Amino acid sequence: MDALVLVPPIFALGTAYGALAIDAGLSSWLTIVTSVIVVSTAAQFTAISLLTAGWLPVLVACTGLAVRHVPMSATLGAILKHESPGVRAALSWVLVDESYGLTLNRLRDGEIDPVSYKAAADLVLYGSWLAATVTGVLIGPRLSPDTIGTEAILPLLYVTLVAGLAKGQAVGRVVIAALAATVAAVAILPSAWQVSVAALCGAIAGGRGR
Amino acid sequence: MSDLILFVVVAAVTYASRAVFMIRPREIRNSSRAGVLGAFPLALFVSLAAVGTIAPSGSFALNLPVLAASLVGVAITFSRRRNVLVVMGGGLIAYWLLTWLT
């Protein structure tokens, strides 16, 4: 299944998160609970990075990161509008970049049962994330994120997702607009808002007239 | 605010952002809006890849191993080998090589 190829990087990231969260001062059980209820690599890493700054910076940052889910919700909601509200609510739980990207790719390839596909992908990703978090909590300080290349894994993952979606007209325009918007956002905005604002600007600049 | 309550709030905000248009779908009739919505996923992943490569901590930072990994990843995807593990493997090899050399 497609989602299985994401297990190694998800596991590496989850293990790193578990270890870093303990290092940031979270208890073992709270670290695991955060992965159970938040299910967001970006929000969880950001939250533990900003914990010492207080609750408000964490909430502002995580809200900024969450904004990018809204268009994802709109896109997938329009596709799944004929499903029951309960199914749509359940599929919202693990609406992460990876399962979203995989589902869209699959739909473009002719997938006729997106609910089952996404549900299976969600289970694989969620299960991997939880197992990895537990692993990180248990073996924590003995791991070196630099050694396993954690800092390179996420960009590589997103490069792959870009490649999967880079089909059709105006792709170049969207990519260039998003890159330019990202550079500007990094220069101007606080880190919590950079991706959300850049993605929206890139989509607006590159997506009109598609 | 205790850490547990903080993360419960973060979880609630995150879930709300994911569920808002899943639970109450909106029909996007405006073609311009539909184009933007269609472009958003691609723009999002481009931005995530770019930030992770050039500004992982929020400000510009040249990290040669990460840059090499991303460039190799892009090159591999342009060669039509869009398998996640192939891209990851090639990129991580470049990362470890540059880490060892620098």
Side-chain angles (χ1 to χ4, degrees), chain A residues 110-123:
Chain A
E111 173 62 54
I112 58 173
D113 189 3
V115 171
S116 298
Y117 182 85
K118 187 178 182 300
D122 288 352
L123 281 172

Side-chain angles (χ1 to χ4, degrees), chain A residues 24-43:
Chain A
L26 292 188
S27 63
S28 299
W29 70 268
L30 183 55
T31 300
I32 295 168
V33 165
T34 61
S35 285
V36 171
I37 64 174
V38 179
V39 204
S40 171
T41 310

Side-chain angles (χ1 to χ4, degrees), chain B residues 1-90:
Chain B
M1 184 185 292
S2 76
D3 288 344
L4 174 61
I5 293 175
L6 176 60
F7 277 99
V8 168
V9 175
V10 168
V13 169
T14 302
Y15 181 74
S17 68
R18 290 167 171 166
V20 60
F21 290 126
M22 282 282 278
I23 291 177
R24 297 190 66 184
R26 299 279 195 277
E27 191 72 48
I28 309 294
R29 297 185 193 280
N30 180 290
S31 62
S32 179
R33 212 176 298 166
V36 171
L37 208 62
F40 181 80
L42 179 59
L44 171 65
F45 295 133
V46 167
S47 185
L48 284 165
V51 165
T53 302
I54 64 173
S57 302
S59 55
F60 292 110
L62 183 61
N63 183 322
L64 283 178
V66 174
L67 183 61
S70 295
L71 291 176
V72 167
V74 170
I76 291 174
T77 55
F78 270 114
S79 73
R80 308 282 180 193
R81 297 293 298 275
R82 293 179 177 178
N83 178 279
V84 172
L85 286 178
V86 173
V87 173
M88 289 282 185

Side-chain angles (χ1 to χ4, degrees), chain A residues 75 79 100-112 114 117 161-169 171 210, chain B residues 34-42 45:
Chain A
T75 303
I79 294 168
Y100 173 74
L102 284 174
T103 304
L104 284 193
N105 281 348
R106 197 63 182 207
L107 280 166
R108 287 188 174 121
D109 290 341
E111 173 62 54
I112 58 173
Y117 182 85
L161 291 174
V162 166
L165 292 175
K167 298 172 188 171
Q169 294 180 329
V171 166
R210 275 180 115 208
Chain B
V36 171
L37 208 62
F40 181 80
L42 179 59
F45 295 133

